[in-house]
Amino acid sequence: MREVRSGGAPTVLRVVLGKRLQALRENAELSYEQAGQALDVTHATIRRMEKAEVGLKIPYVEKLLETYGVVDEGEIEGFVSLAREANQPGWWHRFRDVLPEWFSVFVSLEQEANLIRAYEPHYVPGLLQTAEYAHAALRAGMPHAAEEEIERGVALRRERQSVLEREDAPLLWVVMDETVLRRPIGGPDVMRDQITRLLEATSMPNVRLQVIPFAAGPHPAMYGPFHIFRFPVPELPDIAYCESLIGAEYFDRQDDVSAFREALDRMCAQAAPVHTTQALLGGIRKEI
């Protein structure tokens, strides 16, 4: 998956269907070139469909299924129906005025994952931010933005948070540095409210929060924040995400993701247990 900077941001379903098309082609022992000949397109078009870099044109999908030997009408209808659904923009498309293309992919992954693990050394993760904290954090990152743009960013963050309230909500497992809680963002009142929100989150059955105290010393991921997404569909591998000022990188190679996972596992061992984290949060809130 690697770096994403331009082009249409795929939904997770489109990624899954692309991988299914790849599996069908390989099972049929056809090359990219042979599949492309069936559609009268280049091999690059087939590659891009399988990598979810383009939308799934329904006539192309139907022809490919026929070429790959899929004859069951129910299977064909089901695949085509999913392709139509995959081509529909996600709800976050409404925020495209304030949502960079590379982050659209992140929101898509966030909405479809059943496990989200994260390490954050700077800010409270967006899914756990209060509106006031989000406003202050966005303003710090975009000092020259119009107020309307900041408010749109806050609204996007609030809507993203609804994923934690769904019936099939993912497990959110966050490891934060103590620095996150000590850095004054938005002033004392905002920070107290934010820590109260974190305390409330620790009582949610699908949220696990751990804080690495200063006393724990160095750890394997001091270079920066990252996320790992896991999905309930076998076609989609775990995906790791790293962000910079101007873009993001997405990793789905097993060796790459394993490096992130191992670092996070080590940090979890260094971090305060969940029940101790609650006491730590309460103590810091009293200090503010």
Side-chain angles (χ1 to χ4, degrees):
M1 191 164 288
R2 287 300 177 180
E3 191 169 5
V4 178
R5 292 187 185 277
S6 62
T11 63
V12 167
L13 179 55
R14 202 166 87 202
V15 175
V16 170
L17 293 181
K19 289 185 177 295
R20 289 183 182 175
L21 285 174
Q22 179 183 357
L24 288 169
R25 177 181 58 78
E26 291 174 349
N27 288 339
E29 298 183 346
L30 295 176
S31 66
Y32 291 118
E33 289 77 9
Q34 290 170 316
Q37 289 172 4
L39 299 182
D40 196 23
V41 298
T42 66
H43 64 87
T45 298
I46 304 300
R47 287 178 181 271
R48 295 184 71 193
M49 289 177 67
E50 293 181 359
K51 291 181 178 295
E53 294 175 352
V54 294
L56 295 172
K57 294 182 179 180
I58 301 305
Y60 283 8
V61 170
E62 293 173 331
K63 183 62 176 179
L64 285 178
L65 292 176
E66 176 187 339
T67 302
Y68 298 158
V70 180
V71 296
D72 183 89
E73 291 186 5
E75 184 177 353
I76 294 173
E77 290 176 3
F79 199 109
V80 169
S81 177
L82 289 175
R84 289 196 175 96
E85 181 181 345
N87 287 332
Q88 297 301 312
W91 61 259
W92 52 91
H93 186 70
R94 304 196 313 271
F95 293 91
R96 61 189 180 277
D97 56 322
V98 293
L99 185 61
E101 195 67 37
W102 50 265
F103 195 66
S104 295
V105 180
F106 179 95
V107 178
S108 174
L109 299 178
E110 188 177 67
Q111 296 297 306
E112 298 297 334
N114 63 351
L115 171 63
I116 303 171
R117 298 185 66 185
Y119 164 62
E120 182 52 70
H122 303 307
Y123 295 100
V124 171
L127 290 182
L128 298 177
Q129 292 180 4
T130 66
E132 294 76 14
Y133 184 99
H135 187 283
L138 286 168
R139 174 55 69 193
M142 300 186 295
H144 305 297
E147 181 61 21
E148 180 181 357
E149 184 177 357
I150 298 296
E151 291 296 338
R152 286 281 289 162
V154 173
L156 169 61
R157 227 163 260 201
R158 299 283 283 182
E159 188 146 355
R160 284 171 50 206
Q161 292 172 1
S162 64
V163 71
L164 296 179
E165 306 291 342
R166 289 188 333 209
E167 184 176 346
D168 61 341
L171 171 62
L172 176 65
W173 187 354
V174 175
V175 176
M176 294 190 305
D177 273 336
E178 185 177 344
T179 308
V180 174
L181 306 174
R182 301 289 184 182
R183 178 174 286 113
I185 294 179
D189 291 341
V190 171
M191 286 302 299
R192 275 193 294 269
D193 289 344
Q194 178 60 72
I195 293 177
T196 297
R197 169 68 186 116
L198 292 177
L199 281 166
E200 292 170 351
T202 61
S203 65
M204 297 175 64
N206 59 315
V207 175
R208 185 175 301 170
L209 178 61
Q210 293 180 262
V211 176
I212 300 181
F214 291 141
H219 56 73
M222 295 182 68
Y223 49 82
F226 62 89
H227 283 67
I228 301 174
F229 299 94
R230 178 166 293 174
F231 306 90
V233 288
E235 296 93 338
L236 204 57
D238 289 359
I239 295 175
Y241 164 90
C242 294
E243 186 177 320
S244 69
L245 283 174
I246 58 173
E249 285 189 281
Y250 295 82
F251 302 90
D252 60 1
R253 295 176 185 170
Q254 184 175 350
D255 289 346
D256 293 336
V257 179
S258 292
F260 288 101
R261 191 185 301 113
E262 181 179 349
L264 198 47
D265 287 343
R266 289 179 179 273
M267 284 187 288
C268 287
Q270 287 181 264
V274 175
H275 67 277
T276 306
T277 290
Q278 293 174 327
L280 180 59
L281 288 169
I284 294 175
R285 184 176 59 179
K286 290 179 181 179
E287 295 175 17
I288 297 175

